Amino acid sequence: MAETPLLDRSRWTTTLDELTEAHAGELVSIEVLDPEIGHQYEAERLPFSYLSYDPKDDVVIVAVGGQSSQHPVVLRHMVQHPKEIDVATADIPEAAVQVLDQGGTATLISFFPFASGAKA
């Protein structure tokens, strides 16, 4: 990810809620970068639903789909016991969030705004 400071844990819930609001209606890709099995896509350019942190269960959840007849099912990807969250929104074409778990696996969430205001 771009050189950005890591997000302080006390701001995870608020920041992810703000990102959910800011990126409503965009497409999102979810990539898992596992040091043992390599790079895997969980979702590629699907409608973004939400991104949240649940401090009670210590889990980051990113959800896609569930907002149209074309994508009626919600897919949720969860990162249990995240160690750090890095948010890059400035000076890059697409905003991105990287969540690192305790085992060193990174989940990369990339947002893709619609060109010219078109919706999927």
Side-chain angles (χ1 to χ4, degrees), residues 102-115:
Q102 298 295 327
T105 298
T107 298
L108 182 61
I109 302 124
S110 301
F111 296 93
F112 300 92
F114 292 103

Side-chain angles (χ1 to χ4, degrees), residues 33-93:
L33 312 168
D34 188 300
E36 292 182 21
I37 63 171
H39 178 107
Q40 306 280 325
Y41 275 95
E42 288 282 320
E44 290 187 71
R45 293 186 185 238
L46 292 177
F48 175 62
S49 186
Y50 66 87
L51 179 60
S52 67
Y53 173 65
D54 178 353
K56 180 180 175 202
D57 292 325
D58 193 26
V59 62
V60 171
I61 304 165
V62 58
V64 297
Q67 299 176 351
S68 69
S69 58
Q70 186 178 8
H71 302 289
V73 176
V74 174
L75 166 73
R76 290 178 185 89
H77 176 83
M78 299 181 189
V79 179
Q80 300 287 336
H81 310 294
K83 182 167 69 172
E84 60 187 49
I85 297 177
D86 183 15
V87 178
T89 56
D91 301 325
I92 58 172

Side-chain angles (χ1 to χ4, degrees), residues 20-35:
T20 294
E21 186 175 325
H23 294 284
E26 294 184 359
L27 299 179
V28 68
S29 290
I30 304 169
E31 302 170 64
V32 178
L33 312 168
D34 188 300

